[in-house]
Amino acid sequence: MIMDNFEKKFYLVREDVLPEAMKKTLDAKEMLERGKAESIWDAAQKVDLSRSAFYKYRDTVFPFSTIQKERLVSLFFHLEDRSGTLSKLLSIVAASGCNVLTIHQTIPLQGRANVTLSLNTSEMENDIEALLSELRKLAFVEKVEVLGTGA
C-alpha cells in the first residue's frame, strides 16, 4: 500500500534523542541553504556524513522552524477616532482569512488613535499586499505600516 503525506504520521522529537545521522543531515541541509556548502557532497563531507545517509533522511527530517505553518505579521494603524472603526477594521481582517492574535489601541487623542494588530496570516486567501491595499482605501485609515513579520 502506498501512503501519501496525508496518511503518514509526524512526530516532534527532541534533538538529543535523534540518531547522529539525522542531526548531521539537518546540519548539512542548513549549510546548503545558507550557501556554506556548494553541493550535497561538499555538505556531507563537512559534517562527516555519507551521501547515502543524507539522501535517506533529507526529505524526512526538518527543523521545527521550517514546519511551523503560522506566518505572523504585525501591522500599525493610525486611525481617525470614529464609532465602529475598529470593528470595521477587524471585520475586513477576519474576512481576509487572518486570525487576530493581539490588539493594542492607544487612547484616542485629538480625534486620532493608534492600533497595532498581530495577525496569523497562514489561512489568508490572498497575499498581505492585497489586504494592505484594501485597508488603505478605508476613509478612517490614515496610515498602515508593516511593523514586522515572522514565521
Side-chain angles (χ1 to χ4, degrees), residues 122-137:
S122 63
E123 301 296 320
M124 282 186 72
E125 295 174 12
N126 292 324
D127 64 11
I128 192 70
E129 291 303 322
L131 174 61
L132 292 172
S133 177
E134 184 176 357
L135 293 170
R136 287 183 176 118
K137 292 177 186 175

Side-chain angles (χ1 to χ4, degrees), residues 70-140:
E70 292 186 337
R71 294 185 333 189
L72 305 179
V73 175
S74 292
L75 301 178
F76 172 81
F77 297 88
H78 195 71
L79 306 174
E80 290 181 22
D81 182 31
R82 297 186 201 169
S83 178
T85 56
L86 185 58
S87 175
K88 176 75 172 166
L89 184 78
L90 293 173
S91 175
I92 291 170
V93 168
S96 74
C98 290
N99 182 27
V100 178
L101 302 174
T102 64
I103 302 171
H104 175 76
Q105 180 177 354
T106 62
I107 295 172
L109 297 173
Q110 300 176 343
R112 307 284 182 267
N114 295 327
V115 174
T116 304
L117 298 179
S118 296
L119 308 172
N120 175 340
T121 62
S122 63
E123 301 296 320
M124 282 186 72
E125 295 174 12
N126 292 324
D127 64 11
I128 192 70
E129 291 303 322
L131 174 61
L132 292 172
S133 177
E134 184 176 357
L135 293 170
R136 287 183 176 118
K137 292 177 186 175
L138 298 171
F140 57 84

Side-chain angles (χ1 to χ4, degrees), residues 12 30 33-34 62-70 150-151:
L12 184 62
E30 184 176 353
E33 287 174 19
R34 294 178 183 254
F62 305 95
F64 182 67
S65 60
T66 62
I67 60 171
Q68 287 180 313
K69 294 190 180 190
E70 292 186 337

Side-chain angles (χ1 to χ4, degrees), residues 15 20-34 36-37 43-44 46-49 54 61 63:
E15 179 184 26
E20 200 62 32
M22 286 184 175
K23 291 180 199 177
K24 289 180 178 184
T25 300
L26 288 167
D27 291 342
K29 287 172 62 171
E30 184 176 353
M31 291 177 102
L32 289 165
E33 287 174 19
R34 294 178 183 254
K36 295 188 179 198
K46 286 181 178 181
V47 298
D48 190 30
L49 178 70
F54 177 84
V61 61

